[in-house]
Amino acid sequence: MNVLIVDDEPLARERLARLVGQINGYRVLEPMATNGEEALGLVERLKPDIVLLDIRMPGLDGLQVAARLCELDAPPAVIFCTAHDEFALEAFQVSAVGYLVKPVRLEQLSEALKKAERPNRVQLATLTKPLEDDAGHAQARSHISARTRKGIELIPLEQVLYFMADHKYVTLRHEGGEVLLDEPLKSLEDEFGDQLVRIHRNALVMRERIERLHRTPLGHFQLHLRGLEEDSLTVSRRHVAGLRKLMQHL
């Protein structure tokens, strides 16, 4: 992970650089920024993953810089490193993922950097909002977001196997397990209609995952999906004909 340090005090920049250098997996980018305007230019040029940002600086302060970064299509994660503890609320209003009060300790910085590897609110919105093509038409999201015990998990659409409705929740089954969503099946079908196939009133499967359909001795139809070898899904009779027709063209 590439880290850009932004601070108007040379000693503060040097100390943060030394601390980052002691943590595996992170690299301090050069040059470091001495003010807000420099920071914006270096973010545009160097594309850091994380920005360690002071608040009190001449010209644009850290809060103003963070607000401008929020406007980027792919903003870096921001961790404020400041001598002032009264700006914490404002910091998180501009989507900061961490707020460290100087003198910053190694353990605190390490924990904040690890947290910064998870997407912040703005990054999450970038990944999970519908995109627009060149003509301005809405396109489907590339990831599905779900709240779990780990926080916010992002599941790439290409890893999704199926969506199954049960009461007011929808289970998303993917290559690594399953999560619960609070999105209705209908909205998922509307957004990803060309990639999903309805096999039951409560189930949508990814079209590219369809492998084979078979009929059980009791006359039920079961669908097997690639990546779901240990299980199969029931297909309702009203959807069998349409599914068979679709499979002829897969």
Side-chain angles (χ1 to χ4, degrees):
M1 302 287 283
N2 292 322
V3 179
L4 176 66
I5 294 174
V6 183
D7 200 302
D8 62 324
E9 298 179 3
L11 291 178
R13 294 195 300 272
E14 293 170 10
R15 185 172 189 278
L16 279 175
R18 285 197 305 271
L19 291 175
V20 173
Q22 297 177 50
I23 305 172
N24 291 332
Y26 302 93
R27 179 171 70 97
V28 174
L29 296 173
E30 295 286 351
M32 293 181 277
T34 63
N35 58 59
E37 291 291 350
E38 277 187 15
L40 293 175
L42 289 173
V43 166
E44 183 177 355
R45 179 158 64 90
L46 302 178
K47 301 293 190 293
D49 301 297
I50 301 167
V51 176
L52 300 182
L53 183 59
D54 191 16
I55 289 184
R56 286 280 177 85
M57 295 184 295
L60 289 177
D61 66 24
L63 294 171
Q64 292 171 313
V65 171
R68 295 270 288 274
L69 294 179
C70 286
E71 299 172 359
L72 299 178
D73 290 336
V78 171
I79 300 171
F80 283 108
C81 300
T82 176
H84 308 276
D85 60 4
E86 68 267 27
F87 297 108
L89 179 59
E90 292 93 333
F92 292 107
Q93 287 175 343
V94 289
S95 299
V97 298
Y99 190 96
L100 305 179
V101 177
K102 297 175 181 177
V104 175
R105 298 202 309 268
L106 180 63
E107 299 79 12
Q108 292 175 320
L109 180 60
S110 178
E111 183 178 339
L113 288 173
K114 289 177 182 177
K115 183 179 179 182
E117 293 184 19
R118 301 193 292 269
N120 62 26
R121 179 162 50 86
V122 175
Q123 293 169 320
L124 184 65
T126 300
L127 286 170
T128 60
K129 70 182 180 183
L131 305 175
E132 290 187 352
D133 59 22
D134 294 338
H137 299 128
Q139 295 178 307
R141 291 167 288 174
S142 61
H143 294 65
I144 305 292
S145 64
R147 292 189 177 276
T148 70
R149 287 178 296 178
K150 300 177 183 178
I152 297 292
E153 285 192 51
L154 291 179
I155 299 94
L157 197 63
E158 60 266 22
Q159 294 182 12
V160 175
L161 301 173
Y162 65 79
F163 299 94
M164 183 81 69
D166 183 16
H167 301 293
K168 69 175 185 174
Y169 290 105
V170 168
T171 297
L172 183 162
R173 180 69 182 269
H174 59 94
E175 292 176 355
E178 60 183 42
V179 294
L180 291 179
L181 307 178
D182 57 4
E183 300 182 57
L185 276 187
K186 183 64 170 63
S187 66
L188 292 165
E189 187 175 32
D190 290 343
E191 183 174 355
F192 303 106
D194 58 338
Q195 300 176 70
L196 292 171
V197 178
R198 187 175 285 274
I199 63 167
H200 193 279
R201 64 184 179 87
N202 291 335
L204 296 167
V205 302
M206 294 300 292
R207 177 175 177 152
E208 64 175 19
R209 295 283 182 166
I210 293 175
E211 198 166 68
R212 61 188 175 88
L213 178 70
H214 83 272
R215 189 172 186 173
T216 70
L218 296 177
H220 301 138
F221 290 89
Q222 299 293 123
L223 182 66
H224 295 263
L225 303 179
R226 180 174 52 83
L228 194 67
E229 285 77 12
E230 79 283 2
D231 204 356
S232 60
L233 300 175
T234 300
V235 182
S236 67
R237 291 188 178 276
R238 65 175 295 190
H239 290 99
V240 169
L243 182 59
R244 278 178 167 164
K245 184 176 180 180
L246 171 67
M247 292 178 67
Q248 293 175 0
H249 302 283
L250 293 178

